[in-house]
Amino acid sequence: MVAPKEALRVGLLGCGVVGSQVARLLVEQSEDLAARVGAPLELVGIAVRDTSKARDGVDPSLLTDDAHGLVARCDIVVEVLGGIEPARTLILESFAAGASVVTANKALLAQDGPTLYSAADAAGVDLYFEAAVAGAIPLVRPMRESLAGDRVTRVLGIVNGTTNYILDEMTTKGLAFDEVLRTAQELGYAEADPTADVEGHDAAAKAAILASLAFHTRVSLDDVACEGITKISADDVAWATETGHAIKLLAIAELTDAGVSARVHPALLPSRHPLAGVGGAFNAVFVEAEAAGPLMFYGQGAGGAPTASAVIGDVVSVARHRVLGGKGPDESSYASHPLAPADAAVTSYQFRLRVDDKPGVLARVAQVVAEHSVSIEAMRQQGTPAGGVANLVLTTHRAPEAALAATVAEIAGLDVVQEVTSVLRVEGA
Amino acid sequence: MVAPKEALRVGLLGCGVVGSQVARLLVEQSEDLAARVGAPLELVGIAVRDTSKARDGVDPSLLTDDAHGLVARCDIVVEVLGGIEPARTLILESFAAGASVVTANKALLAQDGPTLYSAADAAGVDLYFEAAVAGAIPLVRPMRESLAGDRVTRVLGIVNGTTNYILDEMTTKGLAFDEVLRTAQELGYAEADPTADVEGHDAAAKAAILASLAFHTRVSLDDVACEGITKISADDVAWATETGHAIKLLAIAELTDAGVSARVHPALLPSRHPLAGVGGAFNAVFVEAEAAGPLMFYGQGAGGAPTASAVIGDVVSVARHRVLGGKGPDESSYASHPLAPADAAVTSYQFRLRVDDKPGVLARVAQVVAEHSVSIEAMRQQGTPAGGVANLVLTTHRAPEAALAATVAEIAGLDVVQEVTSVLRVEGA
């Protein structure tokens, strides 16, 4: 029996959906946590804006409106405020006071992660953020530690539950985007202002963090090329199903010859791909590494209790480091890669065209594709030509985004082409 | 810039499919590894039985037949010999010499894991074993660390690639077990003596380790109730597909009212369950935790490079602990649970019967079920009665294994029942 160690003081910044669950777990699991850490964890305060508001299951005497005072007297600070300020300042103050920090704040990490990692390293303390990328799914720890002797080459993630739910409903019920979005809003699955989700901004923040993690490279939100799901039509979804694909909004981080490519866009995935079956509001991240091969991590990407589970796992890790000495992996000492320009990303396109139904059209389209050094994987007709109009579907092999975009632009201008009905990227093939 | 630390001496026990890949990665990734560890890793020797045998890409001057001498001069010992002895003795000698150990040895951990964990704790060194459960899939670290503040309630794993491949082939090609096994043996996907795989023994060793990990309870191979896939018929598979299920060999570790249940058996999984889509030789482990909810980890469960990736991840972790002070989680200090008797496991049965096609048969069968306090979820006819014979399919709600087994035994003895064609458990519903 080891002599009991002095308690570690834990301060909580924020007491919303996640924070209240963190507070609950710290109290309910205190015995188990003490055994795992090697010292008791004492929740010494919870910083909130309004201390008079009652919070279910939270001891009101712990509430304080003095966040700065709280971080100054803690060994471990848990930041679940969200947003940039005052979270950023409070985290830097925590480091300055010698405290380790656990955060679930994806917006802050996507904007200013490298600054925070460096500040933590300089102060000799930990900054852990498992909950920031995909809620409850253990992802940061496997990437930082389990794959420490491997080389990650690509990450494909379904990291936004709202858009995954919408695409799922469009697929299973054959409904249009607007219709599904409206229902999702009524059910509370989508926000009144759904922009951050449906335009891909939330996924882009996570793509920036994933790319930084996978390739030890400073990738911020502004470096992520981003396209949402608002243009996906019911016809796109139906055609995808018919050809054995699922449409998913993917966060992609990839190491290419031109450097690190980080982007978010809808993509066609072959239905045999492990990500294709990830339904509803679930998240999953597919990682390809040189030695390990393909890996996938699946679970709940949001919600109070799941996110709190990830936060508490981090609290135990940083607490153990304080009890035993040492700290977690240092993110600032790795080799870094350049960022690839957005149009250097390598992908493949599937595009659909309304063309004049007459001889020679296919040849002209194929020639334009060839002139851009893009090669065609498949070209077929969708449906039967009618009224002098045919629908063509072209799928290319992988090529640089710039060449693919230029190909489509030139094809759109051909006199025999009436309309480019749809352009979708194909991934995971 | 921190002053360079003294190199850590790494000794490798075994140089087969996994060992040679570990040796390769230690050399090829040495710069990255040094950056991540904070000190260089020096491979000081590789213990093999026959030092005269050439090994691709391995420096012959590193080979030694003196394993005992090697472990005495190492900081970190990597054991990839497999089997019980001499692996067990060498690991204990390593601890005695103050070295940390990374092992991929599932047989040894399933038989004697708790003794080894205690010996490591007593010596104040690490024993890491990510590669022992599901090859490349990060599973041990997420369970030990990411979920440290949560409570795991159930683990369902597809942890044997050979049987998963066989069941997959039976499903997609409609072939019988024997036929698929023969082809798998010809292709090298199954051993000449396939017993360890098809009878579920390999999966049972992994179930023991998973149960120990999930519930901090001493579970050894002998505690795992085990049933293989040799009795699965083509008809079982066809019927499963028809009713929207997949048949998978599952390693199950579960916390029940009676304690920890660890078992291996084939089971029907609803096709929407994330494990149902895991095909071919892949492995996946589905974990349910109170706060995190459902999680799944997917990847390659075997093979030289994937397993070596997991081994190297562990080497980096234990090496960091030596450089920075501290060690990994202590497995011996947790609360423990009792083991549930095998027949207390709670599951549900789907069984098929050939019965006389006459009035009153259903009622008699239903009455037997009710008398065992089992409730029926569904009862239906398979096909159309012919020649005075009908085929019945019963699916029960969850009930203790003992009650379910007694129910089937009594039904088999009814004069109106000609044969119990098949009994399968249903999980994940």
Side-chain angles (χ1 to χ4, degrees):
Chain A
M1 185 71 192
V2 184
K5 294 256 175 47
E6 219 175 302
L8 290 166
R9 292 156 302 170
V10 179
L12 184 57
L13 306 178
C15 198
V17 179
V18 177
S20 57
Q21 293 294 320
V22 170
R24 179 181 67 80
L25 288 172
L26 282 173
V27 174
E28 277 183 21
Q29 310 272 41
S30 62
E31 253 181 74
D32 264 17
L33 293 172
R36 293 177 193 211
V37 169
L41 297 176
E42 189 196 346
L43 180 57
V44 296
I46 305 175
V48 292
R49 212 170 299 166
D50 177 5
T51 57
S52 66
K53 195 175 131 193
R55 282 156 181 95
D56 250 13
V58 172
D59 177 356
S61 74
L62 289 173
L63 300 177
T64 169
D65 56 8
D66 178 17
H68 302 278
L70 177 60
V71 305
R73 59 190 169 92
C74 288
D75 300 297
I76 296 165
V77 171
V78 176
E79 186 273 305
V80 288
L81 294 165
I84 306 301
E85 286 296 351
R88 188 177 177 282
T89 301
L90 287 166
I91 289 175
L92 291 172
E93 285 179 16
S94 305
F95 295 155
S100 294
V101 173
V102 174
T103 178
N105 193 330
K106 63 174 179 292
L108 178 57
L109 289 174
Q111 179 174 310
D112 216 11
T115 307
L116 297 175
Y117 308 146
S118 303
D121 286 333
V125 296
D126 280 324
L127 172 62
Y128 270 49
F129 52 91
E130 185 67 83
V133 185
I137 309 173
L139 190 66
V140 177
R141 196 171 274 105
M143 299 254 280
R144 288 218 273 195
E145 301 178 32
S146 306
L147 294 171
D150 206 333
R151 283 207 181 107
V152 173
T153 52
R154 188 189 295 179
V155 180
L156 302 179
I158 296 173
V159 292
N160 180 273
T162 303
T163 47
N164 202 48
Y165 170 83
I166 290 174
L167 292 170
D168 218 32
E169 289 284 296
M170 288 176 71
T171 306
T172 52
K173 303 200 173 141
L175 299 173
F177 170 77
D178 288 335
E179 212 168 338
V180 175
L181 174 60
R182 216 164 26 240
T183 314
Q185 286 172 317
E186 282 162 17
L187 293 169
Y189 296 161
E191 308 274 344
D193 176 359
T195 313
D197 292 318
V198 300
E199 296 294 355
H201 305 157
D202 171 77
K206 292 163 181 170
I209 302 173
L210 285 171
S212 306
L213 257 179
F215 306 117
H216 314 300
T217 295
R218 183 185 276 258
V219 181
S220 75
L221 183 54
D222 298 336
D223 302 317
V224 181
C226 180
E227 191 184 311
I229 64 164
T230 53
K231 288 182 213 149
I232 303 291
S233 67
D235 190 42
D236 286 334
V237 173
W239 178 248
T241 306
E242 203 179 315
T243 57
H245 291 88
I247 298 186
K248 296 289 183 187
L249 181 69
L250 295 183
I252 302 175
E254 204 168 11
L255 195 56
T256 69
D257 293 340
V260 171
S261 162
R263 59 192 197 271
V264 168
H265 55 66
L268 294 163
L269 279 171
S271 56
R272 291 283 298 179
H273 194 284
L275 285 174
V278 175
F282 278 90
N283 279 197
V285 178
F286 188 80
V287 177
E288 294 172 46
E290 275 177 10
L295 298 168
M296 190 173 79
F297 304 87
Y298 166 99
Q300 296 190 62
T307 307
S309 169
V311 166
I312 298 281
D314 278 355
V315 168
V316 170
S317 289
V318 306
R320 282 184 57 80
H321 294 155
R322 297 188 82 91
V323 169
L324 299 167
K327 60 185 285 294
D330 177 345
E331 290 301 303
S332 63
S333 61
Y334 295 130
S336 177
H337 299 280
L339 277 175
D343 60 5
V346 175
T347 185
S348 74
Y349 270 25
Q350 180 183 95
F351 51 93
R352 294 188 287 141
L353 308 172
R354 279 166 53 86
V355 298
D356 296 346
D357 182 27
K358 61 183 182 194
V361 172
L362 255 70
R364 288 192 57 193
V365 169
Q367 198 192 336
V368 173
V369 176
E371 280 165 11
H372 286 90
S373 303
V374 171
S375 61
I376 294 173
E377 200 229 37
M379 177 137 81
R380 63 189 121 181
Q381 244 170 40
Q382 180 186 4
T384 315
V389 175
N391 289 294
L392 275 190
V393 185
L394 264 93
T395 311
T396 73
H397 281 291
R398 284 172 79 80
E401 179 75 32
L404 293 166
T407 305
V408 173
E410 192 175 332
I411 286 173
L414 291 178
D415 55 2
V416 295
V417 172
Q418 303 184 359
E419 189 192 2
V420 177
T421 325
S422 152
V423 180
L424 281 167
R425 297 177 186 83
V426 185
E427 295 288 341
Chain B
M1 185 74 190
V2 184
K5 294 258 176 45
E6 219 175 304
L8 290 166
R9 293 156 300 169
V10 179
L12 183 57
L13 306 179
C15 197
V17 179
V18 177
S20 56
Q21 293 293 321
V22 170
R24 179 181 68 79
L25 288 173
L26 281 173
V27 174
E28 277 182 19
Q29 309 272 40
S30 62
E31 252 181 76
D32 263 17
L33 292 172
R36 293 176 195 212
V37 169
L41 298 176
E42 188 196 348
L43 181 56
V44 296
I46 306 176
V48 293
R49 213 170 297 166
D50 178 5
T51 57
S52 65
K53 194 174 133 195
R55 283 158 178 94
D56 250 12
V58 172
D59 176 358
S61 74
L62 289 173
L63 300 178
T64 170
D65 56 8
D66 178 18
H68 302 279
L70 177 60
V71 305
R73 58 188 170 92
C74 287
D75 300 299
I76 297 165
V77 172
V78 175
E79 186 272 306
V80 287
L81 295 165
I84 306 301
E85 286 297 351
R88 188 178 177 283
T89 300
L90 288 166
I91 289 175
L92 292 172
E93 284 179 18
S94 304
F95 294 156
S100 294
V101 172
V102 173
T103 179
N105 192 329
K106 63 174 179 291
L108 178 57
L109 288 176
Q111 180 174 308
D112 217 12
T115 308
L116 297 175
Y117 307 145
S118 301
D121 287 332
V125 295
D126 279 323
L127 172 62
Y128 269 50
F129 52 91
E130 185 66 82
V133 185
I137 309 174
L139 191 66
V140 177
R141 197 171 274 105
M143 299 254 280
R144 286 218 276 194
E145 301 177 31
S146 305
L147 293 171
D150 207 333
R151 282 206 182 107
V152 174
T153 52
R154 188 188 297 178
V155 180
L156 302 178
I158 296 173
V159 292
N160 181 273
T162 303
T163 47
N164 202 48
Y165 170 82
I166 290 174
L167 292 171
D168 218 31
E169 289 284 295
M170 288 176 71
T171 306
T172 52
K173 303 199 173 143
L175 298 173
F177 170 77
D178 289 334
E179 212 169 335
V180 175
L181 174 61
R182 214 161 30 238
T183 314
Q185 285 171 319
E186 282 162 19
L187 293 169
Y189 296 160
E191 307 274 344
D193 176 359
T195 314
D197 291 319
V198 300
E199 296 293 356
H201 306 156
D202 171 76
K206 292 163 181 171
I209 303 173
L210 284 172
S212 306
L213 257 179
F215 306 117
H216 315 298
T217 295
R218 183 184 275 261
V219 181
S220 75
L221 184 53
D222 298 336
D223 302 317
V224 181
C226 181
E227 190 183 311
I229 64 163
T230 54
K231 287 182 212 150
I232 303 291
S233 67
D235 190 41
D236 285 335
V237 172
W239 179 247
T241 306
E242 203 179 314
T243 57
H245 292 87
I247 298 185
K248 296 290 182 186
L249 182 69
L250 294 183
I252 302 174
E254 203 167 14
L255 193 57
T256 70
D257 293 340
V260 172
S261 162
R263 58 191 198 273
V264 167
H265 56 66
L268 293 163
L269 278 171
S271 55
R272 291 283 297 178
H273 194 283
L275 285 173
V278 174
F282 279 89
N283 279 198
V285 178
F286 188 81
V287 177
E288 294 172 45
E290 276 177 6
L295 298 168
M296 189 173 79
F297 305 87
Y298 166 99
Q300 296 190 65
T307 308
S309 169
V311 166
I312 297 283
D314 277 356
V315 168
V316 169
S317 289
V318 307
R320 282 185 57 80
H321 295 156
R322 296 188 84 89
V323 169
L324 299 167
K327 61 183 285 296
D330 176 348
E331 289 300 304
S332 64
S333 61
Y334 295 134
S336 175
H337 299 281
L339 278 175
D343 61 4
V346 175
T347 184
S348 75
Y349 271 24
Q350 179 182 95
F351 51 94
R352 293 189 288 141
L353 308 172
R354 280 165 54 85
V355 298
D356 296 346
D357 182 26
K358 61 184 185 192
V361 172
L362 254 71
R364 286 191 59 194
V365 169
Q367 198 191 338
V368 173
V369 177
E371 279 165 10
H372 286 90
S373 304
V374 171
S375 60
I376 294 173
E377 199 230 37
M379 176 136 79
R380 63 188 123 180
Q381 244 170 39
Q382 180 185 5
T384 315
V389 175
N391 289 293
L392 276 190
V393 185
L394 265 93
T395 311
T396 74
H397 280 290
R398 285 172 77 81
E401 180 74 33
L404 294 165
T407 305
V408 172
E410 192 175 332
I411 287 173
L414 292 179
D415 54 4
V416 294
V417 171
Q418 303 183 1
E419 191 193 358
V420 176
T421 325
S422 153
V423 181
L424 281 168
R425 296 176 187 83
V426 184
E427 296 286 341

